[in-house]
Amino acid sequence: MNQSVFRLTLPILFGYLPLGMAFGVLFATQLEYPWWVAPVMGVVIYAGAGQILAVSLLAANAGLLEVFVAMFVLNARHLFYGLSLLGQFRGSGWRKLYLIFGLTDETYSLLTSRPRGTDRPHEQEIDFRITGFNQCYWVIGCALGALLGNNVVFDSTGIEFALVALFIVLTIEQFKALGDSFPIWTGAAAAGIAMLFLPPAHQLIGAIAIVTGALLVQYRRLRTTARSEEARHD
Amino acid sequence: MTENSYLVAFIAVAAIATFATRVIPFLFFERHTEHPLIKHLGRYLPAAVMALLATVFLQRSASWSASVPGLDALLPGILVVIIHLWRRNALLSIAAGTASYMVIQQSGILTG
């Protein structure tokens, strides 16, 4: 079973090692903490973009409430991953907690797109191992990067752009999967409004609030048109 | 707060916030998965959030006092889009964009 899980997770290995290393190098070059803190963050936090953001929050000595809000908002997309896995994880017993904990973008994409058989406990065991393998790659990447950043003279100025590039790539992927550019333009416009009118610390949460409001309006409009369509057919 | 207790508290808070985003649907929506509003948000919100994160962080990585304001981040950003539309390999797109941004920042060609 482990061999087929390894084959399934191979693309994640190639993604997580360098991305984890980017975080590790960033961590070691920007902060004065011991190198092993980087893999520890990979074990207990386990969020790519979140950990890269955490480096700048640590460097800025951010307040703990600010840290909570920033991490929650940045990872808020995870709120919607669970919605499509409620049934799939049902009845997985003690494994369920770890399946939920390890629900990153990449693990989510593997768990929701791989072919499944009818043997539920067996499939959940595979899901469990996929999650575990992926986190191992991530933690190893974090450790390698932090060691490398500490021991190799390397000008890492600008490496944090990896996060921006990641968001651009994920936006394109979302657009391709959705086939609808409305949320993309709404998101960018909300960011623009928030950046114009709010101080940096409140821009993310402000933009998310604007976007959610816009989506609620869109939802109501779609419902009203659907209802009047129905009425016309009656 | 000492440096070490701040670090421990920081990691704990970051871990709790991240885990909260993953566990909340399982705690609160187990019974509402079929609600049309939940489905609507589940469908559109991720794309909107991704676009707003890209916009906000792109703006923050730009230098606005340069001769051509913002170009130092905009060029690598456009490169990411082009390479990703061309090869659709996330790692390649991210590596190319990051490398070009690092070259621009370290050489100071566009930021001076």
Side-chain angles (χ1 to χ4, degrees):
Chain A
M1 191 196 281
N2 279 336
Q3 216 167 355
S4 63
V5 168
F6 179 68
R7 215 170 300 134
L8 261 175
T9 56
L10 207 56
I12 313 286
L13 170 70
F14 291 127
Y16 271 9
L17 274 187
L19 211 60
M21 286 176 72
F23 159 76
V25 167
L26 192 67
F27 181 92
T29 50
Q30 310 279 314
L31 304 166
E32 298 289 303
Y33 297 111
W35 71 270
W36 49 263
V37 173
V40 166
M41 287 170 80
V43 172
V44 299
I45 302 175
Y46 189 34
Q51 281 175 235
I52 294 176
L53 176 72
V55 172
S56 44
L57 291 172
L58 268 176
N61 245 294
L64 293 180
L65 182 64
E66 198 184 334
V67 172
F68 185 90
V69 172
M71 295 295 284
F72 190 90
V73 169
L74 181 65
N75 293 317
R77 63 186 187 284
H78 296 148
L79 288 168
F80 299 92
Y81 293 170
L83 292 178
S84 46
L85 291 169
L86 291 171
Q88 192 170 312
F89 287 177
R90 199 167 281 159
S92 48
W94 60 272
R95 295 188 179 86
K96 188 168 177 176
L97 206 62
Y98 183 67
L99 283 168
I100 295 172
F101 167 81
L103 211 48
T104 60
D105 307 84
E106 290 77 6
T107 303
Y108 174 76
S109 66
L110 272 193
L111 296 195
T112 50
S113 57
R114 73 180 185 87
R116 326 193 133 251
T118 47
D119 184 354
R120 256 176 93 78
H122 177 75
E123 295 300 331
Q124 286 171 340
E125 175 65 29
I126 295 180
D127 285 349
F128 183 75
R129 292 193 192 193
I130 289 175
T131 309
F133 273 54
N134 287 349
Q135 190 175 12
C136 285
Y137 307 150
W138 175 252
V139 172
I140 293 169
C142 293
L144 285 179
L147 283 170
L148 198 74
N150 264 349
N151 296 310
V152 180
V153 185
F154 170 64
D155 186 353
S156 66
T157 310
I159 200 171
E160 70 283 358
F161 194 80
L163 180 62
V164 184
L166 174 73
F167 291 142
I168 295 175
V169 165
L170 291 177
T171 305
I172 297 174
E173 289 300 324
Q174 288 282 350
F175 170 68
K176 295 223 171 197
L178 209 56
D180 183 351
S181 64
F182 172 78
I184 310 285
W185 297 119
T186 313
I193 295 169
M195 289 187 300
L196 279 177
F197 296 107
L198 294 173
H202 305 303
Q203 284 169 359
L204 284 180
I205 189 83
I208 302 244
I210 296 170
V211 140
T212 310
L215 290 180
L216 290 179
V217 170
Q218 182 205 21
Y219 171 74
R220 291 199 59 166
R221 190 169 298 158
L222 287 175
R223 296 271 289 180
T224 330
T225 14
R227 276 210 202 99
S228 55
E229 287 279 307
E230 261 168 49
R232 206 175 301 152
H233 286 296
D234 283 342
Chain B
M1 213 185 297
T2 69
E3 203 181 343
N4 279 340
S5 61
Y6 173 72
L7 180 67
V8 171
F10 180 101
I11 292 178
V13 167
I16 291 167
T18 307
F19 182 63
T21 62
R22 291 170 181 158
V23 79
I24 281 174
F26 294 91
L27 294 178
F28 296 106
F29 296 108
E30 195 96 25
R31 256 164 271 175
H32 304 285
T33 41
E34 293 308 310
H35 191 284
L37 177 59
I38 294 289
K39 283 186 157 175
H40 181 80
L41 288 179
R43 190 170 140 81
Y44 290 111
L45 198 63
V49 167
M50 234 49 89
L52 81 84
L53 287 173
T55 311
V56 167
F57 282 86
L58 191 66
Q59 182 262 334
R60 287 185 188 174
S61 48
S63 146
W64 294 98
S65 52
S67 44
V68 187
L71 196 66
D72 60 324
L74 203 56
L75 278 185
I78 292 170
L79 186 71
V80 174
V81 174
I82 292 172
I83 292 191
H84 198 67
L85 290 176
W86 174 41
R87 301 296 297 265
R88 219 170 163 194
N89 176 336
L91 192 60
L92 179 72
S93 323
I94 292 170
T98 307
S100 65
Y101 180 80
M102 289 173 78
V103 168
I104 289 172
Q105 296 301 322
Q106 291 180 18
S107 65
I109 356 174
L110 295 170
T111 50

